[in-house]
Amino acid sequence: MIVKRNALTWFERLYLPAIIGGLKVTTRHFLNTLTTKTPVTQQYPEEPTRVLPGYRGAPYLVRDQDGATKCVSCQLCEFVCPPKAIRITPPGPTGKPADRTNAEKMPEEFEINMLRCIFCGLCQEVCPEEAIFLKSDFSLTGLARSEMIYDKDKLLALGGTHPGIQKWKHKLDEAKEQETFPVKV
Amino acid sequence: MNVGLEHYLTVSAMLFCLGLLGVILRRNVLVIYMSLELMLNAANLALVAFSRFNENLTGQMMVFFIITVAAAEVAVGLALIVALYRKRQSAHVEDLTSLKL
Amino acid sequence: MAWLDSLSPQTQFVFFTLLKIGCVLGLLLTLVAYAVLAERKVSALIQDRVGPNRVNLPLIGSIPFLGQFLTKLGFWHPLVDGVKSFIKEDFTPGHVRKIYFWLAPAISLVPAFLVIAVIPFGSTLGAQKMVIADLNVGILYTFGIVSLGVYGVVLAGYAANSKFPFLGGIRASAQMISYEIAMGMSVIPVFLVVGHLNLGKIIEHQAQNGWNVLPIFGGGFSAQTLLLVPCGLVSFVIFFISALAETNRLPFDMAESESELVSGYHTEYSSMKFGMFFIGEYANMFAGAAMMTTLFFGGWTLPFFGLDVAPVAGEWWKGLLHIGIFMGKMLGFMFTFMWIRWMLPRFRYDQLMDLGWRRMIPLALANIILTAGVLALTNR
Amino acid sequence: MALPDILFYLFAFLTLLFGVLVVANPFSRNPVTSAMFLVLTICAMAGLFVLLNAFFLAAVQILVYAGAVMVLFLFVIMLLDLKEEQRRKINLFGIVTGTGAVLGLGFLLTRTIWGGDLEQAANPRVIGDTKALGLELFTKGQFLLPFEIVSVLLLVAMVGVILLSKKELK
């Protein structure tokens, strides 16, 4: 669609209406903020921030309800990670087996470089075992670059226990719904 | 000895010679042009000095006109240099020899 | 004060001039620092934010009410900003032209301070006139110095030896040269009316005949005063717009338009060298505001309570009050500069040039002729 | 020596020093350096004008020369993106004869200035401020025609420059 743009009238080309409009808007905001004292600024360290659901903070590994590592070292997240922040060392043939019975293996080492991570959430999206989640942490600090590379223990400790949201079950339900969709008409 | 007309005229003459030297020695058209400005300025200085020591404002009027004409002259000259540069891709007098025998 | 009287007049003159230079420079630098804070606070208020309110000094911060208030006001931010500018690494990129790279910030800083020298910022204190240099060609001097300010920008653009600063420098210089013409032409009506180039004389004239921008105070309503109202207004509007363009403020900050040229001619600068550009910009704003106050808004005079005459001996409070009035007017203009920054979007470059050459300059010329006509007809 | 004399020697020295640096800078053959030193020359010369009581011309000198003309020069230098001037084959003959001729001219001029007796007032009192120059320009009548011609000349120059700087001439 092409919107026809009217030529400016003589009065408008003086810029005066625009200037007066700007004057009104800025004055209103200035006086409002000065008198009613309701700025939108959040005074962060003093006022705690409220993290909304769906917020994408730092990615951490989670344990299942039994306290076992959910990650099975499939390396999908390592593969999908756009800034290549994740590095997984698989256990190999001689490595330790998984600490839960319904999985074959768990990572020997799992590192996320929080300096590289862009909090995009693709690792969470791709994980088949629901082992990695973006939590609500947003201010990560460290005194050295090496401190910002979080290893497996730290990630598991920070992630805590997560019984799972059964992402795949939901996906299955959705798929089924879509399959039955044309019939319902 | 008090500073008089001679002193100013000497400065003016030396400045004029410097400008002339620049015109002769330098090879960049723009620098030659600047040297010309230097010579004009030397003339200005002499005129103002004459005006001061002869109790007469005519010299200063001359300078006033010279400055005006110089401004016009610089504008036109620079436009010519830019046009020349567009044609020849050089601002070096040794590359501008189409009039040479 | 006995030792002062024992000095020869020349020594006294030198002493008082040095004293005035020191006071004005110190005050100006402080004002510049706080203008940066004011700019941030005004921006914040217009955008519904709170602005800088963090820096807390250890001892003063613990004074019960005042300390907290000053912190909330952001009172210590300029101090900390200054310290930060000094102790930051002074980085010189490898590809720059070294000499000009060092020269440019200084050149952009000096002219703004030199302009202040001829501004009468008060009437008299004791026997001293409150102006550093009472020049007869005051306004010509001002325009000469202002025209030198272009070099800082051009050299900064040239020295950086990379694309964006270069474009910024070229743009800024073209813009400043163009608007200088409009600016110079816009003040000619003022001198036609006043008949003198000395800034002190201009203020005297305004005290007797009403401010140049709106000559309705004092002097009675003659036909001439009424006819001169549009001339003064047009002059002031052109001067104001040109001042915005000269100081590279929005809506004319083509030189450092962040969205296209990174930050224009000072892209390659850091730490104190950048700080000097910054101080230069704000000092230029102060110079522009002071010029507008002097030329159009009556300088240190106020048409009420007999404040428009120089104080007689012993009325030193009046002299101080006059300085206060001048500062008040100047700060009002500074606030307007900041306000306009959030009011109007940036002009496109061709619009800027169009406004300068095809609107402002013909309008200023017409204004000169109109003023001359009015003065000739009303038989002055 | 009185203060104005000291100032004269100072400004004259500065003018000549910067002038030398414009035409023969031993450190740099960069046109921008030349232009910047020309600006300094002009400013020093404005100082000499002030010593000669030509206040208006001093201001105009800075306003027009330093403020407009030299900025135009810098503008063009930057626009053409001139590189450091390469040292080409030095024409020794040209330099020697040129310098010789200039030195001869300088000698002649200086001799003329100091040899003859110039007419000059012992205690000059003429002051070239704005008012005096304005009265001279507009009331005496002898400068009115040149003034108009110069304004037409400026107009012609402006039209010419606009025409010259068009990309293609038709």
Side-chain angles (χ1 to χ4, degrees), chain C residues 82-290:
Chain C
V83 172
K84 183 198 74 175
S85 282
F86 270 110
I87 61 180
K88 233 173 154 178
E89 184 190 354
D90 195 356
F91 185 74
T92 309
H95 58 78
V96 299
R97 298 176 168 107
K98 290 271 170 1
I99 297 172
Y100 296 119
F101 190 75
W102 280 85
L103 208 58
I107 294 183
S108 75
L109 187 61
V110 171
F113 290 145
L114 289 181
V115 169
I116 300 290
V118 289
I119 307 267
F121 52 89
S123 50
T124 49
L125 265 185
Q128 290 300 315
K129 265 186 156 175
M130 285 294 107
V131 51
I132 294 173
D134 198 11
L135 289 188
N136 260 335
V137 287
I139 191 71
L140 277 176
Y141 165 88
T142 317
F143 279 105
I145 297 296
V146 165
S147 66
L148 290 184
V150 185
Y151 285 107
V153 178
V154 177
L155 283 185
Y158 175 73
N161 202 5
S162 57
K163 288 190 185 65
F164 290 136
F166 181 75
L167 283 173
I170 289 272
R171 275 185 179 191
S173 50
Q175 167 185 341
M176 284 164 94
I177 296 175
S178 311
Y179 276 85
E180 219 172 79
I181 301 169
M183 199 176 193
M185 285 182 171
S186 72
V187 293
I188 290 177
V190 172
F191 299 119
L192 286 181
V193 173
V194 176
H196 219 284
L197 287 180
N198 186 325
L199 292 171
K201 293 269 167 45
I202 290 169
I203 290 177
E204 265 173 39
H205 178 270
Q206 291 183 76
Q208 283 154 17
N209 300 317
W211 296 355
N212 278 328
V213 65
L214 212 60
I216 48 172
F217 314 110
F221 295 92
S222 63
Q224 192 190 29
T225 343
L226 286 175
L227 284 171
L228 281 176
V229 170
C231 304
L233 266 178
V234 170
S235 271
F236 170 67
V237 169
I238 294 175
F239 192 92
F240 185 79
I241 293 173
S242 308
L244 281 178
E246 279 289 305
T247 48
N248 283 324
R249 294 282 302 176
L250 271 154
F252 303 113
D253 70 336
M254 305 306 307
E256 44 184 299
S257 46
E258 295 87 353
S259 40
E260 333 163 10
L261 296 184
V262 192
S263 66
Y265 55 90
H266 47 59
T267 305
E268 308 276 359
Y269 284 91
S270 58
S271 97
M272 201 51 214
K273 290 218 272 300
F274 173 74
M276 279 163 84
F277 275 115
F278 215 63
I279 295 172
E281 189 186 327
Y282 279 87
N284 264 321
M285 282 165 69
F286 271 110

Side-chain angles (χ1 to χ4, degrees), chain C residues 347-380:
Chain C
F347 275 52
R348 222 168 47 216
Y349 199 66
D350 61 320
Q351 290 173 333
L352 171 87
M353 282 297 164
D354 184 76
L355 186 72
W357 287 97
R358 288 186 40 217
R359 307 272 195 280
M360 291 293 163
I361 292 178
L363 192 62
L365 276 172
N367 195 25
I368 293 173
I369 294 170
L370 186 71
T371 314
V374 168
L375 288 178
L377 283 179
T378 50
N379 210 3
R380 182 168 169 271

Side-chain angles (χ1 to χ4, degrees), chain A residues 30, chain C residues 27-28 30-36 38-39 42 240 282 285-294 297 299 323-339:
Chain A
F30 185 84
Chain C
L27 192 67
L28 185 68
T30 323
L31 276 178
V32 162
Y34 279 92
V36 178
E39 170 109 54
V42 169
F240 185 79
Y282 279 87
M285 282 165 69
F286 271 110
M291 284 302 293
M292 276 187 273
T293 309
T294 312
F297 277 75
I323 296 178
I325 291 170
F326 182 82
M327 296 266 290
K329 286 177 181 174
M330 198 167 76
L331 295 179
F333 276 116
M334 289 299 285
F335 175 73
T336 319
F337 279 147
M338 292 163 191
W339 188 10

